[in-house]
Amino acid sequence: MTLTAILNPPAITAKYSQSFSSSSRYDALLHINTTSRTIYPSFYNFSSSCAKLTICAAKKKHHQHLSEVITDKLDAKNINLQDKEASEEIDDLGWLPCFPHVLTASMSNFLFGYHIGVMNGPIVTIAKELGFEGNTILEGLVVSIFIGGAFLGSIASSSLVDKLGCRRTLQLAMIPLILGAIMSAQAHGLDELLLGRFLVGLGIGVNTVLVSIYISEVSPTKYRGSLGSLCQIGTCTGIIVSLFLGILSDYDPNWWRTMFYISSLPGFALVIGMQFAVESPRWLCKAGRLDDARQVISNLWGLSKVEKAMEEFQTVMKTDGGDLRSRWSELLEEPNSKVAFIGGALFLLQQFAGINGVLYFSSLTFRDVGITSSALASLCVGVTNFAGALGALYFIDRQGRQRLLIGSYMGMAISMFLVVYAISFPMDEVLSHNLSILGTLMYIFTFAIGAGPATGLIIPELSSSRTRGKIMTFSFSVHWVCNFLVGLFFLELVKQFGVAPVYASFGSVSLLAAAFSFKYIVETKGRSLEEIEMSLNLNFPTKEE
């Protein structure tokens, strides 16, 4: 060791400092400090002070460097997230690109509503011309055979949609509907009319299942509820149009034939329109047409949504199976069994809450207050129904499905009990009639704003991609059976027990439906169908943070 090194210990420090990287320099100084204490006690205090100062400076610089690196990374991450969110917000195409496709599909709901109301006005004229005037059984059969066809159509729909997709199946279902309408228009006997009505019901049964599935699968998550409400609006519009046209049947005995011919025109328009509509991207994925699915998502939802949506689709397919051959027995397995139970129960409660009894026979209530024209009474009901559907269009994506269902059924219960109060308790006759008409209109409005559209929307949202068609088929089958039973026995129950007890039972079922919705309905607002499915299905692995 040289004399300079002995007389100048800091030089040793400098030498050692240069031999280490800046990140570990203070560790070297600790070694030097220990050495100087042992060999050079006379210079210990001086060297120790220098080493400590150097160590502190190095530590401070090192920590400052680490802090700057971490801060830069966090800032970069935040900037990337902000850029991604801003990009997605800019790339959000809204509801407009999807609207023409949804509007075309909802034309089948217009036909559903039209064929509900088409027999309302001219039934007397039809019965007189075809020779079954005064036979209430045959008059009821002409109406109810439509529901029978719809029941069978709904059962067949799941197999068709699994194989052909929503787009082609909707077109295919128009064939019996158009043929049935034309056959009804040309009927010269009861048999021809019954066959025509049955074929119309067959097409309607397929379409009512498929439209709910199609709209839920092609709509952007943010607007799925509002676009789904177009089904109810289409039904209400169809009822109103048929009632308007039915007024002319009082002046032209052959006008009912024209009304049936008119009903075939929207069918032709739907067949042509669906040729230009997109297929469900989820069905395209299951069919292995991944490029087509990406193109549909890009055009309807925005380019930034493509990768995330495709990743969710494929995750679901890997877990529950992506093939198109689901079995009915799968509805007995969890979580499908629970969703099928919810779907069937919702439609059962909806129908036994009395909506079709009130709609079909509201003219009796209006007649009590001096409105003798059944067409005018039905028109009031149709306009109220339409106003409620517009309310659903606004509220369903803002308030959510569960809240709207609960509020709707509570409003229906209050309305029914108001009618019961007006009928059962002594009061001024004019006041009693006004309360009855107010309760009836309130009931229809509150149904149309929640229980009507939300029921058909929530079931496909809760269903898995693999079994969505079969769960919807099962649920709508329950709907048609209950619809038929209410229409068949309503007048007989009123005759046996009176209006007040029957309406009170409707109000009680409405309260039960509100409680059921509170307990069993999971909120789906703002969540993609795949997110909902993964949250309900225990087979999906949980993501580790």
Side-chain angles (χ1 to χ4, degrees), residues 22 26-27 32 43 129 145 151 200 256 289 312 530 539:
S22 60
Y26 57 84
D27 295 327
I32 296 168
F43 295 105
E129 183 173 341
I145 199 169
F151 171 76
V200 167
W256 63 273
R289 297 164 57 182
E312 289 182 346
E530 286 66 36
N539 294 325

Side-chain angles (χ1 to χ4, degrees), residues 327-341 467-468 470-472 474:
R327 304 180 310 277
W328 280 102
S329 60
E330 292 179 34
L331 298 193
L332 301 176
E333 304 168 2
E334 287 289 348
N336 299 325
S337 59
K338 185 175 182 179
V339 178
F341 164 72
T467 59
R468 185 168 292 128
K470 286 183 169 53
I471 289 176
M472 286 295 289
F474 168 76

Side-chain angles (χ1 to χ4, degrees), residues 95 221-227 229 389-404 449 457 523-526:
W95 55 269
T221 299
K222 185 177 179 181
Y223 308 100
R224 192 172 60 235
S226 297
L227 291 172
S229 299
L390 289 179
L393 184 71
Y394 178 82
F395 285 113
I396 199 162
D397 276 325
R398 290 171 172 81
Q399 298 299 319
R401 286 58 155 160
Q402 186 192 47
R403 185 178 296 182
L404 215 57
I449 206 171
L457 178 65
E523 185 53 66
T524 57
K525 178 186 71 171

